[in-house]
Amino acid sequence: MTAFTIYAFILGAVLGSFFNVVGLRVPKGESIISPPSHCPNCGRRLTAGDLIPVVSYFFLRGKCRSCQSKISFIYPFIELLTAGLFAFAYMYSGLNETLIVIWALISLLMIIFVTDIRYRIIPDKLLIFFALLFLVIRLFIPFRPWLDSLLGAGIGFGTLLLIAVISRGNMGGGDIKLFAVLGFVLGVKGVLLAFFFSCLYGSVIGTSALLVGKIKRGQPIPFGPYIVFGTLTSYFYGETLWHWYLQLF
Ligand SMILES: [Zn+2]
């Protein structure tokens, strides 16, 4: 645990707070700068004391200061998750160029986590922004060979498109485009593993939720959160798990 780990954690918490705002506003076509954050119920403008990531939520016991309406648990959840992932990414890669790539990837994943849970969509605007961002990053930081990135994007897109055709629209267009962007970052093997882990988590958790009666059969569930954790598993542990798997034979 170094000072930079703590710095990464705090940066993640602050950015996580911003990703909540982006994820809630961009799908509605609202500005991410104005109006300032306010209670969605009574409209009370939030003060600096209400806006400290994670801390404020627990200090306010999850309720608005003036109207007492409940504040969604999503806010501190995303803040804590982003904080933890930013710190973990630093411990994983150290302080070097790769950290920029991982932090950008985590940022994309956190925002789509919010948009998919809240609105069941992954906005084009976000995907275009991050596609361009990763292209620019790639021009300066050769995080993987161009061919692997381009093939990864094509295979990510193609695989999801195929699933969408087979499942007759159970896979959203946003998911298909998202996998093109993920493929560019993860490469061919990485994007296939991300897809595999997303499906694995989706089926395990989906089946469990069905068994305990949390959801009904045929009820659509957002795939975004599974993609988030599937992608992270692929990025951080893909190689290790792949070698472990090959050794079984
Ligand atoms: Zn309120």
Side-chain angles (χ1 to χ4, degrees), residues 38-46 63-71:
H38 53 272
C39 168
N41 187 46
C42 69
R44 177 178 177 277
R45 188 165 158 182
L46 303 186
K63 283 179 199 151
C64 167
R65 224 185 266 272
S66 60
C67 73
Q68 304 293 314
S69 71
K70 265 188 139 183
I71 303 168

Side-chain angles (χ1 to χ4, degrees), residues 202-238:
S203 50
V204 169
I205 294 168
T207 310
S208 317
L210 202 63
L211 286 176
V212 299
K214 278 268 177 207
I215 55 166
K216 292 187 194 73
R217 188 171 291 277
Q219 178 185 344
I221 44 171
F223 196 46
Y226 305 120
I227 298 177
V228 168
F229 291 107
T231 302
L232 291 169
T233 310
S234 169
Y235 192 95
F236 291 119
Y237 298 108

Side-chain angles (χ1 to χ4, degrees), residues 86-164:
F86 265 50
F88 179 77
Y90 163 66
M91 291 191 280
Y92 176 90
S93 85
L95 193 53
N96 56 52
E97 295 172 327
T98 314
L99 190 57
I100 297 173
V101 182
I102 315 180
W103 279 359
L105 180 65
I106 293 169
S107 304
L108 165 64
L109 294 174
M110 293 301 102
I111 298 171
I112 61 142
F113 194 116
V114 177
T115 63
D116 204 38
I117 274 213
R118 275 302 174 98
Y119 307 109
R120 305 264 343 264
I121 54 167
I122 300 171
D124 281 344
K125 244 192 236 172
L126 272 175
L127 293 174
I128 293 166
F129 173 82
F130 276 95
L132 291 174
L133 178 68
F134 285 121
L135 262 177
V136 171
I137 291 177
R138 177 59 184 82
L139 292 177
F140 296 98
I141 306 169
F143 53 82
R144 72 179 60 258
W146 277 107
L147 185 64
D148 192 26
S149 278
L150 296 175
L151 280 176
I155 287 175
F157 186 86
T159 307
L160 272 276
L161 184 64
L162 187 70
I163 303 290

Side-chain angles (χ1 to χ4, degrees), residues 18 41 44 54 78 82 100 149 152 154 159 167 170 172 174 185 188 196 205 217 221 223 225 241:
F18 175 64
N41 187 46
R44 177 178 177 277
V54 187
I78 291 293
T82 314
I100 297 173
S149 278
T159 307
S167 72
N170 262 334
V185 182
V188 174
F196 168 77
I205 294 168
R217 188 171 291 277
I221 44 171
F223 196 46
L241 290 170

